[in-house]
Structure formats: structure tokens, C-alpha cells
Amino acid sequence: QQQVRQSPQSLTVWEGETAILNCSYEDSTFDYFPWYWQFPRESPALLIAIRPVSNKKEDGRFTIFFNKREKKLSLHITDSQPGDSATYFCAAWGNSGTYQRFGTGTKLQVVP
Amino acid sequence: EAAVTQSPRNKVAVTGGKVTLSCNQTNNHNNMYWYRQDTGHGLRLIHYSYGAGSTEKGDIPDGYKASRPSQENFSLILELATPSQTSVYFCASGDPGGSQNTLYFGAGTRLSVL
């Protein structure tokens, strides 16, 4: 079963626009939500992460908004750049904190 | 810098053959993981390990075995490879409960089973 869901599957924005990537989860015991990005032919790498004690985490142009009640979070990329074109994965730590579950990813394309 | 090294990087196997994918980490992390990545499925956990001598089943363990002979090494074994196991396999290491709970991934192994 897919415990972490992402939408949309793919997203195209113009350079300079804000891209919004969505994620939802089912297990209320998840307590750490990292976002990874992956460029073609490369491995995933941590981009930014949030814990439920916060409802917002910012790192430069990247911001996570977190809604614990609705079990939803979103990644906002402001002033999108062509170099941001990648697949973005939302993840959550499992019940006992032993492993991460990943969403199916959102493929972002930023057009110049 | 965290380092996870996978070998081989590319592998072509025949149906019914045995395949071993190797992973080495120099991060001194207790936990290691094997994921496979397929279009439309994201990253799915196959096996993971808490430390030397331990292996645990992930979400899709059928058809795979794992071995953790040491802190540094974690192998994924396909005893009887099938075409459905054609995929990109990623090894990762990490320590839950750490300040970041970050997974560090290897470069991946592209496996084709013919």
C-alpha cells in the first residue's frame, strides 16, 4: 500500500514562477519528512526536511509547508530555475523510525 | 563526506541466474538499505539492516535475499533472477534518531535480466 502519496506526477513551470509539489501520508506516527531531489542518471539527495513540531521550514528558495491535522505537506520552490528541473521525492520515517517510505515522485521541468 | 559505493554499476544477467549486488559505506552508520526504483513506483524498500549480522524484510522482499557481514558491507542477492527484477537498485545508509535522519545513497546499479 502506498503510505506516502505525491501529486502531481509531473509539473512544468516557467522560469521565475513558483512550483508547488504536494505530498500526503497516512500514518500519524510518522515524525520526520525529508524531501529528496534526483537529477537524471544520479542518485537521490536530501534537499530539505521538516518535523511535525513546525509547520514551516525554509531554506533559500525552498519552503515546506506542513499541515499535521490534514496529514499533508507541500514543497514550494520560488523563482524556479532551469537547474531545479529534477524529480522530487517526499519521504517519511516508518513507525519505529527504522526506515523511510517514499512517495512516487514529482518530475519538475522548469522552462527558460 | 558521506560515502556509499555500489558495485557493479551496470549488470546484465540471464533469467534463472544468480546476481549479487554489493554495497560499501564509510559513514559508520548502523542502518543500511536496499531500494529499487521503477518508473511510477518511486523508491521501494527491499531489505534493510540494523547492523552487522542483521537483515530485515522491507516492503517488497520476495525474490531477494540480503547479507550484512560487517558494518561497512551490505549485499543484495537474487538467487534466481527474473525479468521482473530488471530495475535500478540503490543502496543507502543512515542512522535514525540522528540530527538529520538523512539517507545517503550510492550511485545505483542498473540491472537488466534477459
Side-chain angles (χ1 to χ4, degrees):
Chain A
Q1 72 280 23
Q2 192 66 36
Q3 294 203 14
V4 179
R5 291 186 170 85
Q6 289 185 249
S7 64
Q9 191 171 358
S10 63
L11 176 65
T12 300
V13 300
W14 294 104
E15 182 175 356
E17 290 186 333
T18 296
I20 300 175
L21 289 65
N22 301 303
C23 179
S24 63
Y25 62 97
E26 297 177 2
D27 191 331
S28 59
T29 66
F30 288 157
D31 64 358
Y32 180 73
F33 299 90
W35 286 81
Y36 291 82
W37 56 353
Q38 182 180 28
F39 298 97
R41 294 280 176 168
E42 295 189 12
S43 54
L46 180 70
L47 173 62
I48 187 173
I50 193 168
R51 293 190 181 276
V53 293
S54 304
N55 56 22
K56 181 180 176 181
K57 177 72 178 289
E58 207 167 344
D59 184 355
R61 297 184 294 107
F62 300 90
T63 302
I64 300 174
F65 293 94
F66 183 79
N67 185 323
K68 186 176 182 179
R69 183 179 60 83
E70 295 187 7
K71 298 182 185 175
K72 292 181 178 179
L73 54 162
S74 60
L75 176 67
H76 293 226
I77 307 172
T78 58
D79 188 24
S80 296
Q81 301 296 309
D84 297 333
S85 298
T87 299
Y88 291 77
F89 291 100
C90 173
W93 274 103
N95 291 359
S96 58
T98 54
Y99 59 87
Q100 291 186 4
R101 283 207 166 89
F102 286 81
T104 54
T106 294
K107 187 174 183 179
L108 173 67
Q109 183 177 11
V110 181
V111 180
Chain B
E1 180 72 23
V4 180
T5 305
Q6 293 183 232
S7 62
R9 292 293 312 278
N10 294 279
K11 174 74 176 178
V12 178
V14 296
T15 298
K18 182 177 181 179
V19 177
T20 299
L21 307 183
S22 300
C23 179
N24 176 276
Q25 57 110 352
T26 59
N27 308 322
N28 199 31
H29 287 150
N30 290 320
N31 289 16
M32 296 186 72
Y33 308 83
W34 277 106
Y35 289 89
R36 64 176 284 178
Q37 184 173 28
D38 305 284
T39 302
H41 290 279
L43 290 153
R44 292 182 291 173
L45 183 67
I46 305 170
H47 284 287
Y48 62 103
S49 168
Y50 297 119
S54 92
T55 60
E56 304 290 336
K57 293 180 179 180
D59 293 328
I60 53 164
D62 293 346
Y64 302 93
K65 291 183 180 180
S67 174
R68 182 87 181 268
S70 66
Q71 177 83 343
E72 297 79 19
N73 296 294
F74 190 38
S75 298
L76 185 67
I77 303 148
L78 291 67
E79 294 278 3
L80 295 169
T82 68
S84 65
Q85 294 175 313
T86 293
S87 186
V88 179
Y89 292 84
F90 286 101
C91 176
S93 74
D95 267 343
S99 61
Q100 286 190 321
N101 285 1
T102 302
L103 289 186
Y104 296 90
F105 286 87
T109 294
R110 190 170 296 270
L111 173 66
S112 295
V113 182
L114 306 178

